[in-house]
Amino acid sequence: YQDFGEEFKQKRNNPFLYADVTTIDWTKTLEQYPFLKGTIDYISFDVDGATRVAFDRFPFDQLKFTCMTIEHDQYRVGTELRDYLRKKLTSLGYILLCADVVMPDSPYEKFGAFEDWWVNPELVDMDRLETIRSNHISYLEIFKKMNPEKYAFYCPPPSYD
């Protein structure tokens, strides 16, 4: 576990919350951080090994998000968690935009998908987003659909050495 909170504070101008979502007291947190009230633009659920716990504790009844990426690590743990997350998010009215996103140029790509990308159809222009709707392609390929200009959304892959 690596704490990136201090690094983020130095590099970001926007408010953010960096917390252990498996233990966070959401009631106190929502009182303490007024920027969380209403709609969250983007949320990343990257909770290796604890996704279900964190997800089940998240106050979906109090918070909405525009866009979410959520790791389900299907390549590693199978489809049960992924299917559970999909059923729950669909029941909450969210739309699965990019399903089973794979990591480009990694040893894991051959094993399968690691995350899904979700949007709130009330808060986005679904007609515009249809151009990037996808299944089982890398996030770099999705970025190319957004803007085919080379390196428009370049994210170098992590080192696997």
Side-chain angles (χ1 to χ4, degrees):
Y1 171 71
Q2 187 173 354
D3 182 353
F4 294 103
E6 287 305 314
E7 181 182 345
F8 287 172
K9 284 180 188 175
Q10 294 172 12
K11 293 182 179 182
R12 294 179 181 231
N13 295 323
N14 60 310
F16 72 98
L17 173 65
Y18 180 80
D20 182 342
V21 291
T22 64
T23 60
I24 191 171
D25 180 334
W26 279 108
T27 302
K28 286 182 183 176
T29 302
L30 292 172
E31 290 171 6
Q32 185 177 356
Y33 295 97
F35 70 85
L36 290 174
K37 292 188 171 127
T39 301
I40 298 169
D41 289 329
Y42 169 71
I43 187 166
S44 170
F45 260 81
D46 181 356
V47 196
D48 294 333
T51 301
R52 174 84 184 251
V53 171
F55 188 82
D56 286 343
R57 295 185 80 247
F58 189 80
F60 286 103
D61 59 329
Q62 298 175 58
L63 297 173
K64 289 197 284 188
F65 62 86
T66 303
C67 177
M68 171 191 277
T69 55
I70 186 162
E71 287 195 14
H72 52 60
D73 293 334
Q74 176 268 322
Y75 74 93
R76 186 170 58 85
V77 300
T79 61
E80 184 178 341
L81 175 62
R82 181 195 69 187
D83 295 347
Y84 174 80
L85 299 170
R86 287 180 177 181
K87 183 177 181 180
K88 174 77 172 188
L89 287 167
T90 299
S91 75
L92 292 169
Y94 292 97
I95 302 289
L96 178 56
L97 185 66
C98 301
D100 292 331
V101 177
V102 298
M103 182 68 72
D105 304 323
S106 79
Y108 304 116
E109 185 173 12
K110 66 183 176 190
F111 297 115
F114 76 101
E115 75 179 6
D116 286 339
W117 296 5
W118 292 82
V119 294
N120 183 328
E122 297 172 2
L123 302 172
V124 297
D125 181 345
M126 287 304 297
D127 290 335
R128 285 189 69 201
L129 289 179
E130 285 302 325
T131 63
I132 65 167
R133 187 180 291 272
S134 56
N135 185 29
H136 208 272
I137 65 174
S138 78
Y139 66 84
L140 291 177
E141 293 302 314
I142 298 167
F143 289 167
K144 286 178 190 175
K145 288 176 155 203
M146 291 179 192
N147 185 342
E149 198 172 305
K150 189 175 182 180
Y151 303 118
F153 294 97
Y154 180 68
C155 295
S159 170
Y160 293 98
D161 298 333

